[in-house]
Amino acid sequence: MRRLPRKLVMFGAGIVVGLLILVIALVGRGNPDPTTAGPESSPRATTPASPTPARPASTPSQSASPHLSPRSTSPSETATSRKPKPAPTKITTKAAPKPSASAKQGTALAAVATLPVKGRAPKTGYDRDEFGPAWADTDDNGCDTRDDVLNRDLSRKKFDGCVVLRGVLDDPYTGETIHFRRGITTSAKVQIDHLVAESDAWQKGAQQWTASKREKFANDTLNLLAVDGPENASKGDGDAATWLPPQKSFRCDYVAHQVAVKRLYGLWVTAAEKVAMQRVLRSCPTMKLPTRQAIPPHPATTSHPKHSTRPKTGSGSDGSGSSSRTGSGDSNPGSGSGSDQGVVHPGAFCAPAGATGHTAKGTPMECKTKPGDPRNRWRSAS
């Protein structure tokens, strides 16, 4: 048998030894003994599941915060999500002053907000007589309130003492020019309107007043205006929510006077009335609250005390149809003594002495004086 060369034998042996070493190494990697396995050769190290990617979702410090988005843990994203929050606060702060910007203190518009809002009370118990004698001389100038207002509001006047016999009215309700002439059939062309009607006042607080306060209200020139008679009758006892003057240019002044009167006397308004007042006054936001205008002096009041030359009868000043405070039924100063004047108002000035009449309730009245009051007034005939 032929012998192989030595080098070839040694090469083959080397291959065999190398294969054995490789086998031993492979067997060693599969050794289950944890004490002999290296950290990199452990089967656990090759497990595909790794806790590292799941940490952001389970980190307590991140999941416990309600302000962070569950899909983002980035500080830059968190900061971005918080930026819009201050924006609504800034917008609210800038917008807050806007409603009061047009209602400056001292204006009629601002004053509307101070009026209490309630429902209209029942009209139960209302009567004109609850507001005292018609056109009482509450300012003690020797003339009744109706002639005071005519003296203030008319131009080109002619007097007989206190009494305004004729004049010209630039009617604020219609814008028309009315030539006033005193008389039984002509006086009604000009009536004295209570801007806040007595009936409206009764249903919004006046029921609780004293008799003296109601009389003061009925004769307060701040609440009185000479106007077109038929237009005044159409108003009735309406408030700003139900009636406004046909002449739109006067509506601001009209409503501002109502606000001033209701504020002065503590009367309330209905919700609809308040809305109507604000709607009108927003067109004139700088209008101040009106004040009383001075009554011009009546000529020759001391030598001709004619303020007591007429009874008070006629249609209602706020259109209710009852005997009125307008004096539209003025009697002829030359009426004879003892003439019957029909429906009269207790306490109103009258003439001539001895004339008779009766109240709306039928109580007999006589035009006469009494101790301490030398002026003729309608007093009980008994």
Side-chain angles (χ1 to χ4, degrees), residues 83-97:
K83 283 182 180 179
K85 291 186 177 181
T89 303
K90 292 180 181 179
I91 294 172
T92 303
T93 303
K94 292 180 181 179

Side-chain angles (χ1 to χ4, degrees), residues 31-55:
N31 188 356
D33 188 356
T35 60
T36 59
E40 296 181 359
S41 63
S42 172
R44 295 179 184 178
T46 61
T47 303
S50 174
T52 302
R55 285 180 185 175

Side-chain angles (χ1 to χ4, degrees), residues 306-322:
K306 296 294 185 179
H307 58 277
S308 60
T309 61
R310 60 185 177 84
K312 307 297 185 292
T313 60
S315 59
S317 66
D318 58 20
S320 63
S322 62

Side-chain angles (χ1 to χ4, degrees), residues 18-380:
L19 291 173
L20 288 174
I21 293 173
L22 179 61
V23 170
I24 292 172
L26 292 174
V27 173
R29 293 176 66 89
N31 188 356
D33 188 356
T35 60
T36 59
E40 296 181 359
S41 63
S42 172
R44 295 179 184 178
T46 61
T47 303
S50 174
T52 302
R55 285 180 185 175
S58 60
T59 302
S61 62
Q62 295 173 355
S63 60
S65 174
H67 300 292
L68 299 180
S69 169
R71 296 192 302 174
S72 173
T73 58
S74 170
S76 61
E77 293 177 4
T78 301
T80 302
S81 65
R82 293 180 180 177
K83 283 182 180 179
K85 291 186 177 181
T89 303
K90 292 180 181 179
I91 294 172
T92 303
T93 303
K94 292 180 181 179
K98 289 183 179 179
S100 60
S102 60
K104 296 181 180 179
Q105 188 173 6
T107 63
L109 179 58
V112 175
T114 68
L115 299 177
V117 178
K118 299 181 184 180
R120 185 185 290 271
K123 198 175 178 179
T124 307
Y126 169 71
D127 189 282
R128 286 296 185 85
D129 292 342
E130 294 292 339
F131 288 82
W135 305 129
D137 179 19
T138 55
D139 62 357
D140 295 322
N141 69 346
C143 303
D144 68 32
T145 307
R146 173 176 164 79
D147 280 310
D148 282 345
V149 177
L150 291 174
N151 184 18
R152 182 195 67 187
D153 295 347
L154 271 59
S155 62
R156 290 154 41 189
K157 298 161 288 190
K158 183 178 180 180
F159 294 88
D160 184 1
C162 284
V163 178
V164 179
L165 297 178
R166 61 176 62 98
V168 176
L169 173 68
D170 292 325
D171 179 43
Y173 284 0
T174 64
E176 297 178 356
T177 299
I178 302 174
H179 293 271
F180 168 76
R181 187 180 183 87
R182 183 176 297 279
I184 295 176
T185 60
T186 58
S187 289
K189 288 184 178 180
V190 174
Q191 296 182 9
I192 308 302
D193 181 33
H194 287 83
L195 300 173
V196 175
E198 292 166 322
S199 173
D200 181 65
W202 181 262
Q203 297 172 77
K204 296 173 183 176
Q207 293 186 44
Q208 311 304 321
W209 294 351
T210 62
S212 60
K213 184 174 180 179
R214 284 196 289 266
E215 181 176 349
K216 179 181 178 182
F217 170 85
N219 292 277
D220 191 337
T221 56
L222 178 64
N223 190 39
L224 299 172
L225 191 65
V227 299
D228 174 76
E231 198 59 49
N232 180 45
S234 73
K235 169 188 171 180
D237 61 356
D239 57 26
T242 59
W243 189 90
L244 290 171
Q247 182 168 227
K248 293 182 179 180
S249 61
F250 185 70
R251 288 180 178 179
C252 278
D253 194 273
Y254 174 80
V255 172
H257 270 84
Q258 288 190 327
V259 173
V261 170
K262 293 207 166 188
R263 186 181 185 188
L264 176 63
Y265 285 91
L267 295 169
W268 68 73
V269 294
T270 64
E273 182 182 6
K274 182 176 183 179
V275 169
M277 286 176 162
Q278 290 173 326
R279 182 174 61 249
V280 171
L281 293 174
R282 283 194 184 105
S283 66
C284 47
T286 60
M287 174 169 281
K288 302 292 184 181
L289 277 178
T291 57
R292 293 184 189 89
Q293 297 180 21
I295 302 298
H298 293 263
T301 55
T302 55
S303 59
H304 298 85
K306 296 294 185 179
H307 58 277
S308 60
T309 61
R310 60 185 177 84
K312 307 297 185 292
T313 60
S315 59
S317 66
D318 58 20
S320 63
S322 62
S323 298
S324 81
R325 302 175 184 274
T326 67
S328 60
D330 299 335
S331 64
N332 188 331
S335 299
S337 176
S339 60
D340 185 82
Q341 305 294 341
V343 178
V344 299
H345 289 277
F349 296 120
C350 59
T356 59
H358 57 271
T359 66
K361 295 181 179 180
T363 304
M365 305 297 292
E366 183 180 351
C367 182
K368 59 183 178 179
T369 63
K370 74 174 184 178
D373 186 358
R375 295 174 292 185
N376 289 321
R377 291 178 183 268
W378 288 112
R379 310 178 196 274
S380 176

